[in-house]
Amino acid sequence: MTGANSFQVSGYGPERAGWTRLFARDSAARRLDWPLLLAAVTLSVIGSVLVFSATRNRTDINQGDPYYFLVRHVMNSGIGLAMMVGIIWLGHRTLRTAVPILYGASVFLILLVLTPLGSTVNGAHSWIVLGGGFSLQPSEFVKLTIILGMAMLLAARVDAGDRQHPDHRTVLQALALAAVPMLIVMLMPDLGSVMVMVIIVLGVLLASGASNRWVFGLIGAGTAGALAVWQLGILDDYQINRFAAFANPDLDPAGVGYNTNQARIAIGSGGLTGSGLFKGSQTTGQFVPEQQTDFVFTVAGEELGFLGGGFIILLLGIVLWRACRIARETSDLYGTIVAAGIVAWFAFQTFENIGMTLGIMPVTGLPLPFVSYGGSSMFAVWMAVGLLQSIRVQRPMSA
């Protein structure tokens, strides 16, 4: 045997099929979406530089080591890449059979957050401290399991050829599946993650071909629910203050409006080309809180300027464009829904993160995909890239 079929000779059993796909002439390595991968890697590299700039002088948090956050960010990116490779090797269709286990595990983890094992960071009780300076934010992985779980339910009968579109009963089951972890995350409270999950649900429903009545009904129910949450006082004071500061930027500039005011000053001072890497006065002076995580885009705006910030947005746009193309070209509804859910997730989280630094969105504590410091968020976005690549790799060759 010769060519790609040579990998099917004796000694290459089913247990090695995943690995042989990575080396076969017409398989994973050749069929990867390289623009998507290169854009994501470049974003992680830029994020490493921005995180280093934001933390190298922060002796209050870097334990006296200017490279403390840089090393961990690079390590998190490397682990994320390894997770991506693992998902490509397994395949999104293989993971489809494990969705009930993954869903149960993610719900269990977010329930743990509500126990004494949970920890509060910046007002959100959404973390599990693992020790050694490491922590886990389970809500990041819930975004993935909601996408996978809803896709499994909504696509089951359509991909089997029994129906052209999901029926009302199936849609109700999918919404119930998403509602359980969303309600738990709301109790933490982690309003930013809940907002992302709502957008994911909308994106999944639109991609599934479900009746538009469900989409409009969900939007109406979400609006009514948001008003009810506000009127019933379910939100914590710090969350109410953030929305108040968004509605009125001049409200308490030294208090609740401090973060957004300093962020706008940092970005505005960068001009067209920026003040130069590691030369930003706002960044060096440590005026912007949480600059390595939620407000990392302010480092780019100040030190790299409009051009540098625009380049980051361009790279994120490439990621979204390639993900949309994968969603459009896949041959099964399950793959389409998964890819579309990831697009909705990345698009909204990017808009929210950059928007809050510019003052056009309220502060919610959402990281910038691939760029912000944080292990859980980095792992989750690279796992999502792995799903996208798997969908592309496993599509029919004629697609």
Side-chain angles (χ1 to χ4, degrees), residues 35-264:
L36 167 61
L37 180 58
L38 292 175
V41 169
T42 304
L43 283 167
S44 289
V45 172
I46 293 174
S48 299
V49 177
L50 299 181
V51 166
F52 176 63
S53 179
T55 60
R56 61 194 178 92
N57 294 323
R58 293 291 306 271
T59 56
D60 56 321
I61 59 174
N62 67 16
Q63 302 185 18
D65 179 6
Y67 300 99
Y68 179 86
F69 285 94
L70 172 63
V71 170
R72 281 160 176 75
H73 188 82
V74 172
M75 181 179 67
N76 291 336
S77 300
I79 294 173
L81 276 165
M83 289 178 167
M84 179 199 73
V85 173
I87 288 177
I88 296 173
W89 175 73
L90 287 171
H92 70 288
R93 295 191 180 111
T94 300
L95 285 174
R96 183 176 188 170
T97 63
V99 166
I101 297 174
L102 297 174
Y103 177 82
S106 65
V107 171
F108 174 74
L109 286 174
I110 56 177
L111 283 173
L112 281 182
V113 174
L114 300 180
T115 71
L117 294 176
S119 179
T120 301
V121 177
N122 296 328
H125 191 79
S126 56
W127 300 81
I128 299 175
V129 177
L130 304 177
F134 295 96
S135 57
L136 181 71
Q137 189 177 15
S139 58
E140 291 293 332
F141 303 104
V142 170
K143 299 169 187 175
L144 275 173
T145 55
I146 286 178
I147 292 172
L148 291 171
M150 292 188 70
M152 180 190 70
L153 290 173
L154 293 170
R157 300 186 67 179
V158 177
D159 285 340
D162 295 337
R163 290 184 176 273
Q164 290 186 333
H165 305 288
D167 57 24
H168 295 316
R169 180 179 179 182
T170 302
V171 173
L172 276 174
Q173 291 172 341
L175 291 176
L177 178 144
V180 173
M182 288 171 63
L183 289 173
I184 298 173
V185 173
M186 177 63 79
L187 292 175
M188 292 179 180
D190 186 354
L191 184 60
S193 292
V194 172
M195 291 170 62
V196 175
M197 293 172 194
V198 169
I199 298 300
I200 286 173
V201 170
L202 287 172
V204 164
L205 287 180
L206 285 170
S208 72
S211 171
N212 288 334
R213 286 178 293 178
W214 284 106
V215 177
F216 292 126
L218 190 60
I219 293 173
T223 302
L227 293 173
V229 166
W230 183 275
Q231 292 295 326
L232 295 174
I234 297 176
L235 296 178
D236 283 353
D237 290 341
Y238 82 94
Q239 293 172 318
I240 295 174
N241 291 337
R242 284 178 175 180
F243 280 101
F246 166 68
N248 182 9
D250 296 325
L251 176 67
D252 193 11
V256 296
Y258 179 80
N259 288 18
T260 53
N261 284 334
Q262 293 301 320
R264 287 196 295 270

